[in-house]
Amino acid sequence: MKILQQSGDPTAMYTGPEFTIQFANNAILAIWGKDESVIGHRFENALPEMKGQPFADLLKQVWESKEIYEANEMPATLDIHGEPITSYFNFTFKPILNKEGDIYCILHTAKDVTELIRTRDAVLEKERKEEEIKKELRASNEGLRSNNQELYTLNKEYTVTNEKLGASNKIIQDLNLQIKKENNELLSGNRKFQDDITNLGDLNKNLASRNQELKDLNDTITQLNNKLSESDISFTNLIDQAPVAIMLLKGDDFVITMINDAMLALIEKDYSVIGKSLFEVLPELKGQPAAEMLIKTYRMGTPNSDHSNPVILNRDGQFEERYFTFNYTPFIEDGKVTGVIDMAVEVTTQVMAIQERESIIIEKSVLEETLRKSEQRLQGILETMAEGVGVIDATGQLVYANPMAQQILGLSESKIKERTYDDPKWQNLRLDGTLLPSEEHPMSIMMSTQKPVYDHEVGVKAPERDIMYISINAAPLFDDEGNLTGGIGTFMDVTTRRMITQGKEDFISIASHELKTPVTALKASLQLLQRSHDRLPPESRAKLLDQSIKSLDKLSGLINSLLDTSRIEQGQLKLDKRPFTISELFDDCCSNFSQITDQEIIFEGDIYEQVMADNQQIGQVMINFISNAIKYAPESKQVIITAKKISDHEIKISVRDQGPGIPKEKLEHLFKRYYRTNYHGQKFTGLGLGLFISGDIIKEHGGRIGVESEEGKGSEFWFTLPI
Ligand code: ADP
C-alpha cells in the first residue's frame, strides 16, 4: 500500500458495493482535486461532480461482472478547486477477488493523458490544416503551372515571374518535405511523447514559426496569383483586342483552344468553334499550302510564315481567294510541341491593289512597247519612204521634215525648219512658170479650208538651183477639241514626171510641126504638078518631083524614128549583125552628107578595123551624131570623125565638132527620150529621139555611149563597139 501511496501513477481502491474509497494516493487525489478527507467516503459522495458521468456505472459493471475494465482517453469532468475541468484518462477498473473468487475491491489506476491528447489533437489539427494548405497549394501550383506554361509560350515577359513562382514553389515543396519530415518526426515523437512531452512544446513552437512562414508564402503566392491572373486577364484582353488575328491550335487535330475576335471575324465564325478541330471548322483548308505549313510547324517545331500564297476560304458556298500575312509559332508545354499559335493579318485588299497595279503596269508597259514599236515603225517608214514628209504648226512653221524631204529640198533639217512653206527666198511657181501666190499654195489651201488636198503640183525654184516640180498631198491636224494645230504635207519630186509630160507635150507639138513641114512641101509640089504639069517645062517638073521625094524621105525618116522608138520601148529592136570594116561604114555616111553641108567632114584613125555589128543600125548612130553636129554646131568648120582601137577588144568612134558645146548639167539628160536642150527656143527642129535611139542601139551591141562637152569649146559624142 505504501508503494502505491508513493507511486507516481494515480491509484485508488474501492470496496463494497457502495464503492467506498478505501485508498487514494496523492497522484489520484491531485487529479481529483481533493485531499485525503475523501478516503472512507463513498465514491459518489466523495466526487459528486461525477454524477451523470459513466464512472459509477462502470464500477458497478465491474463489481457485478468481476471483469476488468480498461478505458483509453476517456474524458472526465472534475471539480478542481470549485471549477469543472475536463481531463482525459487512460484508466483500469480491476476487480480484486479473494480465495473464494468473490470480489472484495476494485483497483483503479489512471493516467492523465489530457496534455498528450491536446498536443496530438493540435498536431492533427495542424496536419489537417497543412494538408488543406498543401491541397490549396497543389491546386495553386497546378493552376500556376498551366498558366505558366501557356503564358511562357505567349509572353516571355512573364518568364521572370514564372521563375520566381518556380522558386517559391520549390521553397514550398521544400517546406512541405520538411513539414512532412517533421510530421513524421512528430508522429514518432508522439509515440515517444509519454517519455518526452516537453520536446513537443519546442516542436510546437517550431511548427508555429513554420506555419507563419507558410502563411507568408501563401500570401506571396496569392499575390503572385493575383498578379498572374491580372496579367492573364490583361493578356487575354490584349489578345482579344489585338488587331492581329490569333488562335491557338492544340494537338494532332489542331483543336481551336483559344481564338480572338479578329480571327473569328477573319474566318467568319463565332466562339462555338472553340474545342473543334480547325479542319472540321474549315474543311476547305485541307491540302492548301497554309494547312501544309501549319502541319509542318507542329511536326517540326519550327516557326513558319508566309505572305504570298493565297488561301481559299468557303464563304457561304462561294470559294474566295484571300491573302494573309501569317505566322505559325510552335506552342511548347513541358518542352514539347503541343500546338501551334496562328497569327494572321488579312492583306487581300493590299495584294489585290498590288496585283491590279502590277497588271496596270504590265498593261502600260505593253502599251508603251506597242507605242514605241509603232513609233519606231512610223519613224522607219518616215525615214525610208520615197516621199518627203513635212509637218507644220498652226503658224505655217516647219517643225518636222523627214530625210527624203531634206533630200528633195536639198536642205538640212535645221535649215528646213527655218523656212515656211511659202518662204519668199524660194519661188513657188505655177506649172506655166508664173509665180504662185501664197494663198494658192496647197498647204495654204489646206490650212484655210481645213480640208485635205491631193496631188497638187507646184514648181519650186530654190536659189541657184533648177526649177523642180513637187506634187503635194496635205492634210490638216487637229487637237482633241478640234482646233487646227497645223498640217502634214507629203510631197514627191515629180520633176522627171513633169519633164516627161512636158517632153511629150513638146514632142507632140514638135512632131506635128516636124511632120507638117515636109507634108506641106510635098502637098504643094504635088498640087502644082497636078494643076499645071502640062504647062510646066520638064526641068521644073523634075525639080518638083525631086522636092517631093526629099519631103517624103524626111517624112519617112521621122516615121522611122518614131517606129524605132516604139520598137525600143517594146524591146523589139532587131539586130542583123555582119562583119564590116570601119572604112565601109564611113563611106556609106560620107556620101549622104557631102551634099547637105559645106562643113568639112573628116574621117581618120583605125578605119581598117573590122567589127561584127548591124551595119544599118550603127550607120544610123553615125548619121545621128554627124547630123546633130551639122545642125547644132553650124559654125564649126570641121566635123572630125575618129576611129580608135582602145583595146584588143574595143574600138571607139567619136564625132567631134567645134560648136557651142552643151551646159554640164544637161549632159546626163541627153540620151533620154524626148530630151532636147532647147525646148522653148524652137531654134532647131528635132524630136529629141536621135540620141535616145542611138543609145539603145549601142547598148544592144554591147558597147558604151557618151558625150564630152564644154560650153564654147564644142562637143564630142562617142560610142564603142566590141571588136
Ligand atoms: P534632136 O536632135 O532631134 O533634138 P537628139 O536626141 O538627136 O534630138 O539630140 C538631143 C539634143 O542634144 C538636141 O536637142 C541638142 O540640144 C543636143 N545636141 C545633140 N548634139 C549636139 C551637138 N553636137 N552640139 C550641141 N548640142 C547637141
Side-chain angles (χ1 to χ4, degrees), residues 19 43-44 50 53-61 93:
F19 310 114
F43 179 80
E44 56 190 20
M50 290 288 201
Q53 297 186 52
F55 303 105
D57 289 341
L58 285 169
L59 283 170
K60 212 173 187 177
Q61 181 195 312
F93 287 158

Side-chain angles (χ1 to χ4, degrees), residues 624-625 628-633 657 659-662 670-672 675-678 684-692 709 714-715 717:
N624 267 333
F625 279 12
N628 275 349
I630 294 165
K631 182 157 64 166
Y632 297 108
D657 62 55
I662 303 161
L670 291 181
F671 295 91
K672 287 179 186 165
Y675 188 84
R676 304 188 73 235
T677 54
N678 54 344
F684 304 102
T685 59
L687 295 174
L689 291 173
L691 291 178
F692 168 69
S709 181
S715 312
F717 283 85

Side-chain angles (χ1 to χ4, degrees), residues 536-653:
L536 281 174
E539 53 275 22
S540 298
R541 269 191 299 189
K543 205 179 171 189
L544 281 171
L545 281 170
D546 204 35
Q547 273 176 358
S548 300
I549 287 165
K550 270 190 187 165
S551 295
L552 270 174
D553 279 346
K554 197 162 189 194
L555 262 179
S556 78
L558 287 168
I559 289 163
N560 276 336
S561 288
L562 290 170
L563 279 174
D564 282 347
T565 308
S566 81
R567 269 194 213 114
I568 290 165
E569 271 181 358
Q570 290 162 21
Q572 288 175 349
L573 192 70
K574 293 257 160 35
L575 298 180
D576 182 13
K577 286 189 185 175
R578 273 171 220 198
F580 59 89
T581 57
I582 302 299
S583 65
E584 281 176 65
L585 181 69
F586 286 177
D587 285 348
D588 289 350
C589 298
C590 192
S591 58
N592 288 321
F593 290 108
S594 53
Q595 295 147 23
I596 4 172
T597 181
D598 300 334
Q599 287 159 294
E600 189 184 2
I601 297 170
I602 301 163
F603 293 95
E604 57 180 35
D606 306 324
I607 55 168
Y608 300 110
E609 286 296 328
Q610 199 177 46
V611 289
M612 182 74 169
D614 186 322
N615 193 7
Q616 284 294 312
Q617 303 277 22
I618 299 297
Q620 197 184 330
V621 176
M622 290 288 296
I623 291 164
N624 267 333
F625 279 12
I626 297 163
S627 58
N628 275 349
I630 294 165
K631 182 157 64 166
Y632 297 108
E635 61 277 19
S636 174
K637 296 219 168 67
Q638 291 177 324
V639 176
I640 302 161
I641 299 139
T642 314
K644 188 165 196 260
K645 188 180 171 187
I646 52 173
S647 76
D648 287 347
H649 317 288
E650 217 176 17
I651 188 158
K652 182 179 177 182
I653 294 159

Side-chain angles (χ1 to χ4, degrees), residues 395-618:
T395 65
Q397 185 68 43
L398 248 164
V399 291
Y400 171 78
N402 75 344
M404 186 49 89
Q406 300 167 37
Q407 192 184 314
I408 293 171
L409 299 174
L411 288 173
S412 68
E413 195 181 8
S414 58
K415 275 267 174 329
I416 263 184
K417 284 180 179 171
E418 281 173 17
R419 74 177 283 263
T420 57
Y421 62 82
D422 54 354
D423 193 325
K425 276 193 273 176
W426 291 54
Q427 282 185 338
N428 289 322
L429 304 169
R430 291 193 185 115
L431 294 182
D432 62 7
T434 57
L435 273 177
L436 180 79
S438 180
E439 62 275 12
E440 272 184 38
H441 193 284
M443 292 300 270
S444 178
I445 295 168
M446 174 274 291
M447 292 292 271
S448 60
T449 59
Q450 303 198 357
K451 288 198 172 101
V453 294
Y454 299 103
D455 201 13
H456 206 115
E457 247 180 65
V458 294
V460 180
K461 174 80 179 75
E464 293 166 26
R465 281 186 70 181
D466 271 355
I467 182 170
M468 68 175 172
Y469 292 89
I470 56 174
S471 163
I472 300 174
N473 290 334
L477 295 172
F478 300 101
D479 64 13
D480 290 345
E481 276 89 47
N483 303 316
L484 184 74
T485 57
I488 179 161
T490 60
F491 56 95
M492 55 183 180
D493 185 350
V494 290
T495 309
T496 313
R497 185 178 87 178
R498 173 111 305 266
M499 288 303 183
I500 290 168
T501 314
Q502 188 76 53
K504 272 184 181 166
E505 284 167 11
D506 288 353
F507 170 73
I508 289 164
S509 89
I510 291 163
S512 323
H513 185 261
E514 291 288 309
L515 289 167
K516 204 177 159 192
T517 314
V519 169
T520 312
L522 181 62
K523 198 180 168 187
S525 305
L526 289 175
Q527 274 177 345
L528 204 59
L529 277 170
Q530 188 195 33
R531 265 191 249 129
S532 52
H533 82 281
D534 295 343
R535 286 172 278 145
L536 281 174
E539 53 275 22
S540 298
R541 269 191 299 189
K543 205 179 171 189
L544 281 171
L545 281 170
D546 204 35
Q547 273 176 358
S548 300
I549 287 165
K550 270 190 187 165
S551 295
L552 270 174
D553 279 346
K554 197 162 189 194
L555 262 179
S556 78
L558 287 168
I559 289 163
N560 276 336
S561 288
L562 290 170
L563 279 174
D564 282 347
T565 308
S566 81
R567 269 194 213 114
I568 290 165
E569 271 181 358
Q570 290 162 21
Q572 288 175 349
L573 192 70
K574 293 257 160 35
L575 298 180
D576 182 13
K577 286 189 185 175
R578 273 171 220 198
F580 59 89
T581 57
I582 302 299
S583 65
E584 281 176 65
L585 181 69
F586 286 177
D587 285 348
D588 289 350
C589 298
C590 192
S591 58
N592 288 321
F593 290 108
S594 53
Q595 295 147 23
I596 4 172
T597 181
D598 300 334
Q599 287 159 294
E600 189 184 2
I601 297 170
I602 301 163
F603 293 95
E604 57 180 35
D606 306 324
I607 55 168
Y608 300 110
E609 286 296 328
Q610 199 177 46
V611 289
M612 182 74 169
D614 186 322
N615 193 7
Q616 284 294 312
Q617 303 277 22
I618 299 297

Side-chain angles (χ1 to χ4, degrees), residues 153 248 297 302-304 327-331 339-343:
T153 52
L248 171 62
T297 306
T302 50
N304 282 295
N327 276 296
Y328 290 136
T329 311
F331 181 70
V340 175
I341 303 163
D342 174 6
M343 288 194 242

